[in-house]
């Protein structure tokens, strides 16, 4: 199995961030399939964009907004090299419980469609204006050292999430024709058989395509080879198991690795920490997020 050379697993070092970007700034997203340890909101303000996920794909235009769940593999490909204006908000997964109340789960907007659908919504002109104003204020508050900016940041983030949950229209789904149908079937098959030993020949036979062609088309869309993606999916499954409290040995088995030494080396290489250290980091990040919210007096 090939060893991925690209940084597929991106770690969010802050509880949340907000970025307004245009074509003059390099994208904060790699052009290949990757995942985050948190939620992502992307609103396209200018240009056109092909957005790819395992669960679907869509051609985005101004006003299209995508909500991405934690650990979901995705990539974005601008179609116009001269125009790519967007707002991206990232929220670390361990920070979200502290944003909620006993009555309101603000993460609901990320789970309003089945996993097999792209969570794509088109905002009206008024919704675009409101979202943009809130996001610009949030970005300003996050970069400010002024008194009260921490509380203001939390308040603005909650306002944005309330807007997405309460006022934004239902998801509209993906536009057709961006990703071939056999690719969607390929993703589903890998997801269902991630514990098995998967070969390119086996996958090619399942989708009735030549193995060389399949790997080439897969890399054109995801930026990864099939073997790189399969390994990344196994690591991602192990992440979920560790987050649920399983031991490293149990995570190794659930992710379909043949032996613990291979799993341990692959996990450390991709995540930068050992499985046990990864679990400890989750605990520490959750505790820090909760402490920050209480300190700011917003609960």
């Amino acid at each position: 199995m090939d060893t991925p050379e690209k940084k597929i697993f991106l770690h969010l070092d802050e509880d949340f961030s907000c970025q307004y970007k245009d074509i003059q700034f390099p994208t904060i997203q790699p052009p290949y399939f990757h995942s985050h340890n948190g939620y992502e909101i992307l609103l396209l303000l200018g240009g056109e964009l092909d957005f790819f996920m395992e669960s679907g794909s869509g051609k985005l235009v101004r006003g299209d907004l995508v909500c991405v769940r934690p650990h979901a593999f995705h990539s974005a490909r601008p179609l116009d090299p001269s125009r790519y204006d967007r707002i991206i908000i990232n929220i670390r997964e361990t920070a979200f419980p502290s944003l909620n109340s006993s009555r309101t789960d603000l993460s609901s907007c990320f789970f309003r469609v089945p996993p097999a659908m792209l969570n794509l919504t088109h905002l009206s002109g008024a919704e675009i204006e409101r979202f943009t104003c809130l996001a610009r204020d949030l970005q300003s508050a996050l970069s400010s050292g002024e008194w009260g900016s921490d509380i203001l940041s939390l308040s603005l983030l909650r306002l944005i999430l309330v807007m997405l949950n309460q006022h934004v229209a239902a998801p509209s789904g993906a536009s057709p024709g961006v990703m071939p149908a056999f690719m969607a079937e390929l993703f589903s098959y890998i997801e269902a058989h991630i514990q098995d030993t998967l070969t390119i020949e086996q996958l090619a036979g399942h989708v009735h395509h030549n193995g060389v062609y399949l790997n080439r088309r897969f890399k054109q869309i995801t930026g990864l080879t099939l073997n790189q993606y399969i390994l990344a999916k196994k690591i991602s499954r192990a992440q979920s198991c560790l987050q649920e409290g399983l031991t490293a040995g149990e995570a190794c088995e659930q992710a379909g690795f043949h032996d613990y030494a291979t799993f341990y080396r692959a996990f450390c290489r991709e995540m930068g920490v050992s499985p046990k250290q990864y679990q400890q980091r989750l605990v520490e990040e959750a505790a820090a997020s909760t402490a920050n919210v209480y300190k700011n007096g917003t609960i």
Side-chain angles (χ1 to χ4, degrees), residues 29-183:
Q29 303 288 4
Y32 52 83
F33 259 29
H34 62 282
S35 70
H36 309 275
N37 59 319
Y39 300 82
E40 179 168 293
I41 301 164
L42 183 150
L43 173 64
L44 188 63
L45 297 175
E48 291 185 328
L49 183 72
D50 277 349
F51 194 87
F52 295 98
M53 293 184 66
E54 304 160 288
S55 57
S57 60
K59 188 178 296 294
L60 276 58
V61 297
R62 173 177 167 79
D64 282 342
L65 181 144
V66 177
C67 292
V68 182
R69 303 178 188 183
H71 309 294
F73 290 95
H74 61 285
S75 66
R77 186 180 303 160
L79 301 181
D80 183 355
S82 66
R83 187 79 188 277
Y84 182 23
D85 304 328
R86 70 276 189 199
I87 293 172
I88 298 179
I89 297 175
N90 289 108
I91 308 167
R92 196 157 60 182
E93 188 174 15
T94 51
F96 229 114
S98 298
L99 294 171
N100 298 328
S101 72
S102 59
R103 293 176 52 191
T104 304
D105 180 2
L106 292 172
S107 69
S108 297
C109 58
F110 294 90
F111 298 93
R112 57 190 171 183
V113 300
M117 288 181 60
L118 180 66
N119 197 342
L120 172 64
T121 302
H122 186 76
L123 271 60
S124 67
E127 289 170 335
I128 294 173
E129 183 177 357
R130 184 184 179 202
F131 186 99
T132 302
C133 288
L134 289 172
R136 286 188 178 276
D137 287 345
L138 174 58
Q139 183 179 22
S140 177
L142 285 169
S143 62
S144 170
E146 295 182 1
W147 182 88
S149 59
D150 51 351
I151 295 178
L152 180 59
S153 298
L154 282 166
S155 300
L156 288 165
L157 177 61
R158 283 183 167 129
L159 280 173
I160 290 171
L161 291 169
V162 167
M163 173 190 172
L164 294 185
N165 280 283
Q166 196 174 57
H167 300 295
V168 172
S172 54
S175 58
V178 179
M179 182 185 292
F182 75 85
M183 287 290 291

Side-chain angles (χ1 to χ4, degrees), residues 197-209:
T197 299
L198 296 171
T199 66
I200 294 177
E201 292 75 17
Q202 174 189 356
L203 296 172
H206 180 73
V207 298
H208 308 292
H209 280 283

Side-chain angles (χ1 to χ4, degrees), residues 188-202:
S188 297
Y189 186 85
I190 294 174
E191 178 71 29
H193 296 84
I194 197 61
Q195 289 182 292
D196 303 335
T197 299
L198 296 171
T199 66
I200 294 177
E201 292 75 17
Q202 174 189 356

Side-chain angles (χ1 to χ4, degrees), residues 10 20 26 44 83 109 141 195 231 247 268 295:
L10 303 185
Y20 172 83
L44 188 63
R83 187 79 188 277
C109 58
Q195 289 182 292
L231 178 56
T247 67
C268 291
K295 181 179 69 175

